[in-house]
Amino acid sequence: MLKSFFLPTSPIFLSSSRSRLLSRSPFSDFASAHQTVDECRHQEIQEEQSPRSKFDFKAYMLEKIGIVNQALDAAVPLRDPIRLHEVMRYSLLSDGKRICPVVCLAACQLVGGDESTAMPSACALEMIHAMSLMHDDLPCMDNDDLRRGRPSNHVVFGERVSVIAGYALLARAFDHIATDTKGVAPGKIVRVVSELARLIGPEGVVAGQVADLKYGGNRQLDMGLEQLEYIHLHKTAASVEASAVAGAVLGGASEEEIERLRRYSRCAGLMFQVVDDVLDVTKSSAELGKTCGKDLVAGKATYPKLIGVEKSMEYAEKLKEEAQEQLLGFDPDKAAPLIALANYIVHRQK
């Protein structure tokens, strides 16, 4: 069980559902049961070379990213006030992996839904993600001048308008879900709105950010793996989790299917952050498109700092296995994008 390590100085209480989902950390049994990186890679190569492995993940991602980008462009057009929408679009339409929108669409199709049904929610998730990056980069937060290979939003437009544009993207996200989702019962739309509200609220990203601000770079506080995992489960992992659940709900999934996709995405989101920490100390800023090594300089805890690069990658492999296990029993063809996504996350280079 993850400990309430904020108590008593700054209590952050988990709801019963969130507490249940975070009750078992994949790290708990990592040390006693894991493959080496070489063994995992060997197994993956065998799977990739088998006759059953015909899914072209690169082509899939290029197609989905293109569709999502078109939908984002249409959802936030350049209109009055022009300056505000320029600022919103600068971050929203910048090059990105679009992991959350793709997970949303893939989860919807996995359970038999239509992609168009989930597209407004997929776009809303990217709007929320863009907002979070804009605000994270501010001098009062992570103070980063580079994002996705170009100057951060506040560097180009100024801090005040970046804050306002972030709020505007957040409002537009919920408006887009409510007004543009078609062919779905109102109750499901309400559930998706609730899921995304929890994502960005005191049980999700805000909780993670408060913890990050408290522990990040504070050498007076002893930050261990549990605290680090709490932060990433409530930030990166929570975003992927909300994406999968939203897509599953809109696609008509059963409660059991929703919970399996919730567990898949929680592992996938945490895995993304573990690999991100590794890349931060093994790649250059030019390769990553963002400032590398900042966490190390600031004294912030990361997975490589706490357990080393090799153990971090072994942990990522363990998370990948746990994520993919949740997809057993689904139609293999429909599950292929999410299976491949987990493989991509653990072996990505930027």
Side-chain angles (χ1 to χ4, degrees):
M1 175 72 71
L2 286 176
K3 298 177 182 178
S4 299
F5 51 86
F6 288 101
L7 298 176
T9 55
S10 58
I12 295 179
F13 299 99
L14 301 178
S15 68
S16 58
S17 61
R18 177 70 68 178
S19 180
R20 173 170 50 81
L21 289 170
L22 304 183
S23 62
R24 177 176 174 273
S25 163
F27 200 87
S28 60
D29 60 352
F30 162 65
S32 60
H34 67 274
Q35 292 176 290
T36 67
V37 174
D38 288 342
E39 288 171 341
C40 290
R41 185 56 188 150
H42 177 69
Q43 178 180 342
E44 185 178 22
I45 291 173
Q46 287 183 320
E47 292 171 353
E48 290 172 348
Q49 292 175 343
S50 69
R52 296 175 57 189
S53 180
K54 298 179 180 178
F55 182 73
D56 189 339
F57 180 67
K58 182 177 181 180
Y60 175 86
M61 287 298 293
L62 287 174
E63 177 191 355
K64 298 307 176 186
I65 288 173
I67 294 172
V68 168
N69 286 344
Q70 289 179 1
L72 289 171
D73 185 39
V76 185
L78 189 59
R79 58 188 175 191
D80 289 331
I82 297 296
R83 184 63 169 174
L84 173 62
H85 285 86
E86 284 179 343
V87 181
M88 294 165 66
R89 286 167 60 87
Y90 178 85
S91 292
L92 182 64
L93 300 181
S94 63
D95 288 341
K97 301 176 184 67
R98 307 292 189 243
I99 297 294
C100 287
V102 170
V103 167
C104 182
L105 299 178
C108 181
Q109 292 186 306
L110 174 64
V111 298
D114 188 84
E115 182 180 276
S116 62
T117 303
M119 187 59 75
S121 292
C123 289
L125 284 155
E126 189 63 29
M127 293 177 202
I128 292 172
H129 182 55
M131 175 275 297
S132 71
L133 297 181
M134 291 163 67
H135 287 182
D136 275 355
D137 289 340
L138 290 169
C140 63
M141 293 291 183
D142 288 348
N143 192 24
D144 208 325
D145 292 342
L146 187 65
R147 175 66 67 177
R148 291 176 170 174
R150 58 180 183 170
S152 298
N153 193 289
H154 71 275
V155 174
V156 178
F157 300 102
E159 294 178 35
R160 292 181 296 181
V161 73
S162 289
V163 171
I164 293 171
Y167 291 152
L169 278 174
L170 182 59
R172 178 60 183 136
F174 288 102
D175 176 55
H176 193 48
I177 294 174
T179 59
D180 288 76
T181 304
K182 308 298 182 183
V184 178
K188 291 183 178 180
I189 298 176
V190 170
R191 183 171 179 180
V192 169
V193 168
S194 177
E195 190 73 31
L196 267 62
R198 283 199 298 271
L199 158 66
I200 60 175
E203 297 176 12
V205 172
V206 171
Q209 185 68 6
V210 168
D212 201 5
L213 291 173
K214 177 179 180 179
Y215 284 93
N218 190 336
R219 292 177 170 84
Q220 303 302 315
L221 296 176
D222 183 18
M223 183 173 178
L225 284 169
E226 290 189 11
Q227 290 90 341
L228 180 63
E229 191 160 289
Y230 179 97
I231 291 171
H232 295 322
L233 281 171
H234 284 75
K235 292 179 72 174
T236 308
S239 299
V240 184
E241 179 183 318
S243 303
V245 172
V249 168
L250 294 169
S254 67
E255 290 302 319
E256 189 270 339
E257 289 173 329
I258 290 172
E259 289 308 307
R260 287 170 61 191
L261 283 167
R262 193 185 289 278
R263 291 191 293 270
Y264 162 87
S265 55
R266 181 159 52 94
C267 287
L270 183 56
M271 173 174 54
F272 188 96
Q273 189 59 55
V274 173
V275 175
D276 211 54
D277 282 359
V278 171
L279 293 175
D280 189 62
V281 297
T282 59
K283 298 292 183 179
S284 67
S285 297
E287 290 173 306
L288 296 182
K290 60 181 181 179
T291 307
C292 69
K294 277 184 82 266
D295 290 344
L296 185 64
V297 173
K300 295 178 69 173
T302 65
Y303 284 97
K305 181 178 179 180
L306 294 178
I307 61 176
V309 170
E310 184 177 352
K311 288 291 185 182
S312 295
M313 289 308 302
E314 289 174 1
Y315 182 32
E317 291 282 356
K318 174 65 176 176
L319 288 167
K320 183 193 76 171
E321 292 172 10
E322 292 203 17
Q324 292 178 338
E325 284 175 5
Q326 304 306 317
L327 301 175
L328 296 175
F330 285 106
D331 182 319
D333 290 334
K334 292 182 179 180
L338 293 176
I339 293 172
L341 177 63
N343 288 328
Y344 159 75
I345 289 174
V346 80
H347 295 296
R348 66 191 177 93
Q349 298 299 308
K350 63 180 296 184

Coordinates of all heavy atoms in Angstrom, one line a residue, residues 97-130:
K97 N 3.6 13.7 -29.2 CA 3.4 12.3 -29.4 C 1.9 11.9 -29.5 O 1.6 10.8 -30.0 CB 4.1 11.5 -28.3 CG 5.6 11.7 -28.3 CD 6.2 11.0 -27.1 CE 7.7 11.3 -26.9 NZ 7.9 12.7 -26.6
R98 N 1.1 12.7 -28.9 CA -0.4 12.5 -28.9 C -0.7 11.2 -28.3 O -1.7 10.5 -28.7 CB -1.0 12.6 -30.4 CG -0.6 13.9 -31.1 CD -1.3 15.1 -30.6 NE -1.1 16.3 -31.4 CZ -0.4 17.4 -31.1 NH1 0.2 17.4 -29.9 NH2 -0.3 18.4 -31.9
I99 N 0.0 10.8 -27.2 CA -0.3 9.5 -26.6 C -1.7 9.5 -26.0 O -2.4 8.5 -26.2 CB 0.8 9.3 -25.5 CG1 2.2 9.2 -26.1 CG2 0.5 8.0 -24.7 CD1 2.4 8.0 -27.0
C100 N -2.1 10.5 -25.3 CA -3.4 10.4 -24.7 C -4.5 10.4 -25.7 O -5.4 9.5 -25.5 CB -3.6 11.7 -23.7 SG -2.6 11.5 -22.2
P101 N -4.6 11.2 -26.7 CA -5.6 11.0 -27.7 C -5.6 9.6 -28.4 O -6.7 9.1 -28.6 CB -5.3 12.1 -28.7 CG -4.6 13.1 -28.0 CD -3.7 12.4 -27.0
V102 N -4.5 9.1 -28.7 CA -4.4 7.8 -29.4 C -4.9 6.7 -28.4 O -5.6 5.8 -28.9 CB -2.9 7.5 -29.8 CG1 -2.8 6.1 -30.3 CG2 -2.6 8.5 -31.0
V103 N -4.5 6.8 -27.2 CA -5.0 5.8 -26.2 C -6.5 5.9 -26.1 O -7.2 4.8 -26.0 CB -4.4 6.0 -24.8 CG1 -5.1 5.2 -23.7 CG2 -2.9 5.6 -24.8
C104 N -7.1 7.1 -26.1 CA -8.5 7.2 -26.0 C -9.2 6.6 -27.2 O -10.2 5.8 -27.1 CB -8.9 8.7 -25.9 SG -10.6 9.1 -25.8
L105 N -8.7 6.9 -28.4 CA -9.3 6.3 -29.6 C -9.1 4.8 -29.7 O -10.1 4.0 -30.0 CB -8.6 6.9 -30.9 CG -8.8 8.4 -31.0 CD1 -8.1 8.9 -32.3 CD2 -10.3 8.8 -31.1
A106 N -7.9 4.3 -29.3 CA -7.7 2.8 -29.3 C -8.5 2.1 -28.3 O -9.0 1.0 -28.6 CB -6.2 2.6 -29.1
A107 N -8.8 2.7 -27.2 CA -9.6 2.0 -26.1 C -11.0 1.9 -26.6 O -11.7 0.9 -26.4 CB -9.5 2.8 -24.8
C108 N -11.5 3.0 -27.2 CA -12.9 3.0 -27.8 C -13.1 1.9 -28.8 O -14.0 1.1 -28.8 CB -13.2 4.4 -28.4 SG -14.9 4.5 -29.0
Q109 N -12.1 1.8 -29.7 CA -12.2 0.8 -30.8 C -12.0 -0.6 -30.2 O -12.6 -1.6 -30.7 CB -11.2 1.1 -31.9 CG -11.6 2.4 -32.7 CD -10.7 2.6 -33.9 OE1 -9.5 2.6 -33.7 NE2 -11.3 2.8 -35.0
L110 N -11.2 -0.7 -29.2 CA -10.9 -2.1 -28.6 C -12.2 -2.7 -28.1 O -12.4 -3.9 -28.2 CB -10.0 -1.9 -27.4 CG -9.7 -3.2 -26.6 CD1 -9.0 -4.2 -27.5 CD2 -8.8 -2.8 -25.4
V111 N -13.1 -1.9 -27.5 CA -14.4 -2.5 -27.0 C -15.5 -2.4 -27.9 O -16.7 -2.6 -27.6 CB -14.7 -1.7 -25.7 CG1 -13.6 -2.0 -24.6 CG2 -15.0 -0.2 -25.9
G112 N -15.2 -2.1 -29.2 CA -16.3 -2.1 -30.2 C -16.9 -0.8 -30.6 O -17.9 -0.7 -31.3
G113 N -16.3 0.3 -30.1 CA -16.9 1.6 -30.4 C -16.3 2.2 -31.7 O -15.4 1.7 -32.3
D114 N -16.9 3.3 -32.1 CA -16.5 4.0 -33.3 C -15.5 5.1 -33.0 O -15.8 5.9 -32.0 CB -17.7 4.5 -34.1 CG -17.3 5.1 -35.4 OD1 -17.2 4.3 -36.4 OD2 -17.1 6.3 -35.5
E115 N -14.5 5.3 -33.7 CA -13.5 6.3 -33.4 C -14.1 7.7 -33.4 O -13.7 8.5 -32.5 CB -12.4 6.2 -34.5 CG -11.3 7.2 -34.4 CD -10.2 7.1 -35.5 OE1 -9.3 6.2 -35.4 OE2 -10.3 7.9 -36.5
S116 N -15.0 8.0 -34.2 CA -15.6 9.4 -34.3 C -16.3 9.7 -33.0 O -16.3 10.9 -32.6 CB -16.5 9.5 -35.4 OG -17.6 8.6 -35.3
T117 N -16.8 8.7 -32.3 CA -17.5 8.9 -31.0 C -16.5 9.4 -30.0 O -16.9 10.3 -29.1 CB -18.1 7.6 -30.5 OG1 -19.0 7.1 -31.5 CG2 -18.9 7.8 -29.2
A118 N -15.3 9.0 -30.0 CA -14.3 9.3 -29.0 C -13.4 10.5 -29.4 O -12.7 11.0 -28.5 CB -13.4 8.1 -28.7
M119 N -13.5 11.0 -30.6 CA -12.6 12.1 -31.1 C -12.8 13.3 -30.2 O -11.7 14.0 -29.9 CB -12.9 12.3 -32.5 CG -11.8 13.3 -33.1 SD -10.1 12.8 -32.9 CE -10.1 11.5 -34.2
P120 N -14.0 13.8 -29.9 CA -14.0 15.0 -29.1 C -13.3 14.9 -27.7 O -12.6 15.8 -27.3 CB -15.5 15.3 -28.9 CG -16.2 14.6 -30.1 CD -15.3 13.4 -30.4
S121 N -13.5 13.7 -27.1 CA -12.8 13.5 -25.9 C -11.3 13.4 -26.1 O -10.5 13.9 -25.2 CB -13.3 12.2 -25.2 OG -14.6 12.4 -24.8
A122 N -10.8 12.8 -27.2 CA -9.4 12.7 -27.5 C -8.8 14.1 -27.6 O -7.7 14.3 -27.1 CB -9.2 11.8 -28.8
C123 N -9.5 14.9 -28.3 CA -9.1 16.3 -28.5 C -9.0 17.1 -27.2 O -8.1 17.8 -26.9 CB -10.0 17.1 -29.5 SG -9.8 16.5 -31.2
A124 N -10.1 16.8 -26.4 CA -10.1 17.5 -25.0 C -8.9 17.1 -24.2 O -8.4 17.9 -23.5 CB -11.4 17.1 -24.4
L125 N -8.6 15.8 -24.2 CA -7.4 15.3 -23.5 C -6.1 16.0 -23.9 O -5.3 16.4 -23.1 CB -7.3 13.8 -23.6 CG -8.3 13.0 -22.8 CD1 -8.5 11.6 -23.5 CD2 -7.8 12.9 -21.4
E126 N -6.0 16.3 -25.2 CA -4.8 17.0 -25.7 C -4.8 18.4 -25.3 O -3.8 19.0 -25.0 CB -4.7 16.8 -27.2 CG -3.3 17.3 -27.8 CD -2.1 16.5 -27.3 OE1 -2.3 15.3 -26.9 OE2 -1.0 17.1 -27.2
M127 N -6.0 19.0 -25.2 CA -6.1 20.4 -24.8 C -5.7 20.5 -23.3 O -5.0 21.4 -22.9 CB -7.6 20.9 -24.9 CG -8.1 21.0 -26.3 SD -9.8 21.5 -26.4 CE -10.3 21.0 -28.0
I128 N -6.1 19.5 -22.5 CA -5.7 19.5 -21.1 C -4.2 19.3 -20.9 O -3.6 19.9 -20.1 CB -6.5 18.4 -20.3 CG1 -8.0 18.8 -20.3 CG2 -6.0 18.2 -18.9 CD1 -8.9 17.7 -19.7
H129 N -3.7 18.4 -21.8 CA -2.3 18.2 -21.7 C -1.5 19.4 -22.1 O -0.5 19.8 -21.5 CB -1.9 17.0 -22.7 CG -0.5 16.6 -22.7 ND1 0.2 16.3 -21.6 CD2 0.4 16.5 -23.7 CE1 1.4 16.0 -21.9 NE2 1.6 16.1 -23.2
A130 N -1.9 20.1 -23.2 CA -1.2 21.3 -23.6 C -1.3 22.4 -22.5 O -0.3 23.0 -22.2 CB -1.9 21.9 -24.9

